[in-house]
Amino acid sequence: MTRKIFAFTLLFALAFSSASFAASGPVPPSKGQWALALESYSLLYTKADRGASNTEIEMPDKWLSVPSAVRDDNNYLWYKVTVNGKSGWLPQNGIRLKMGGKSKSASNLFRNYTKARKNIMGRSSRSWTQSTENGMTMYTSDNAEFWVREGKKGVEDIYFQTSDPDTCELFFGTDLIGMYMSKLRSKLGTPTMRESPYENINVSVLSYELSDRDMTLSITLVRDENDEEGRVESVELYRGRTGSND
């Protein structure tokens, strides 16, 4: 499942950029593991097991300390939390987990990205269509798109996405598409955040916030029925911290 952003949604958000970033949620503490619920309600289990007894609880709009995270027999994550004085376990779906710090590896990939982006902007190509809206220039191909804002201070990178292996390698100098999570983690290190949508536990999104600028590399992985871990389906790069494109 590709988390591609509809153009009008992001364009609207960028028009009110300061508000959109504030609306992406509270900032987590810098140290330790912390969980933020992406839904208003969640099931809190007595054990890290889908068969355990559970209670539906209203989730607070704040980060919850996660002193322990474990995997069950099906290799899904569970997070130990305390909500309003009640302790239990939250399954990974519907939860954003703060894991690590800013990513130098993502910043290194971004340097490759800007070189490729400049090459495409600097030459005419039939494979890329150019359009302008709300002060932004959008370049679109069959396999990818990227958005920039050009001004007196130069080119500001706004957004990029692809699910194509060749395009991923062209922009980042390495092909991440189809890579298993374990190999991705070995290559890029600990992500800043990870999350799974509430409606699909087999989708995982690893977010690497760049160490040298206000941008996030977001990688979506999908786990097939016979796999124990997900594989990369798409790669996004967007301005702001994790959740700024929600």
Side-chain angles (χ1 to χ4, degrees), residues 51-125:
S53 59
N54 61 78
T55 304
E56 185 178 59
I57 57 172
E58 184 173 5
M59 298 299 295
D61 185 24
K62 67 177 184 179
W63 291 90
L64 303 171
S65 177
V66 180
S68 178
V70 300
R71 290 186 178 274
D72 60 22
D73 292 340
N74 294 314
N75 203 33
Y76 293 115
L77 280 165
W78 291 80
Y79 309 131
K80 179 80 171 185
V81 297
T82 299
V83 184
N84 298 326
K86 187 177 180 63
S87 296
W89 294 86
L90 294 173
Q92 70 180 56
N93 55 312
I95 300 296
R96 177 173 292 158
L97 181 72
K98 188 270 180 182
M99 299 180 66
K102 303 286 186 176
S103 173
K104 292 183 179 180
S105 296
S107 293
N108 291 335
L109 292 184
F110 181 76
R111 283 191 279 273
N112 285 291
Y113 168 83
T114 55
K115 292 178 182 177
R117 187 260 295 155
K118 288 177 182 177
N119 287 336
I120 292 171
M121 292 179 64
R123 59 182 173 82
S124 177
S125 175

Side-chain angles (χ1 to χ4, degrees), residues 148-159:
V148 297
R149 178 178 287 145
E150 300 179 74
K152 295 181 179 179
K153 295 183 179 180
V155 176
E156 179 184 8
D157 291 287
I158 303 296
Y159 178 72

Side-chain angles (χ1 to χ4, degrees), residues 218-231:
S218 177
I219 302 174
T220 299
L221 303 96
V222 178
R223 177 177 169 180
D224 291 333
E225 183 177 356
N226 297 322
D227 286 336
E228 290 192 356
E229 59 179 352
R231 298 176 68 177

Side-chain angles (χ1 to χ4, degrees), residues 100-109 188-192 207-212 217:
K102 303 286 186 176
S103 173
K104 292 183 179 180
S105 296
S107 293
N108 291 335
L109 292 184
L188 296 184
T190 302
T192 310
S207 298
Y208 293 84
E209 297 178 5
L210 275 62
S211 61
D212 59 348
L217 177 70

Side-chain angles (χ1 to χ4, degrees), residues 90-227:
L90 294 173
Q92 70 180 56
N93 55 312
I95 300 296
R96 177 173 292 158
L97 181 72
K98 188 270 180 182
M99 299 180 66
K102 303 286 186 176
S103 173
K104 292 183 179 180
S105 296
S107 293
N108 291 335
L109 292 184
F110 181 76
R111 283 191 279 273
N112 285 291
Y113 168 83
T114 55
K115 292 178 182 177
R117 187 260 295 155
K118 288 177 182 177
N119 287 336
I120 292 171
M121 292 179 64
R123 59 182 173 82
S124 177
S125 175
R126 292 182 179 180
S127 61
W128 291 87
T129 301
Q130 180 179 342
S131 61
T132 303
E133 188 174 351
N134 283 18
M136 287 189 295
T137 304
M138 289 162 278
Y139 292 81
T140 306
S141 72
D142 292 338
N143 303 312
E145 64 179 302
F146 66 89
W147 306 358
V148 297
R149 178 178 287 145
E150 300 179 74
K152 295 181 179 179
K153 295 183 179 180
V155 176
E156 179 184 8
D157 291 287
I158 303 296
Y159 178 72
F160 167 85
Q161 74 84 22
T162 189
S163 56
D164 177 67
D166 292 337
T167 305
C168 184
E169 185 166 8
L170 171 66
F171 276 87
F172 295 111
T174 185
D175 175 21
L176 303 175
I177 306 300
M179 189 177 291
Y180 280 106
M181 181 180 288
S182 55
K183 186 175 180 180
L184 178 71
R185 289 282 305 272
S186 177
K187 185 176 186 63
L188 296 184
T190 302
T192 310
M193 308 272 187
R194 70 155 295 155
E195 63 191 78
S196 292
Y198 184 80
E199 68 277 6
N200 194 342
I201 198 172
N202 289 313
V203 173
S204 295
V205 181
L206 303 187
S207 298
Y208 293 84
E209 297 178 5
L210 275 62
S211 61
D212 59 348
R213 65 194 66 239
D214 187 26
M215 297 197 75
T216 297
L217 177 70
S218 177
I219 302 174
T220 299
L221 303 96
V222 178
R223 177 177 169 180
D224 291 333
E225 183 177 356
N226 297 322
D227 286 336

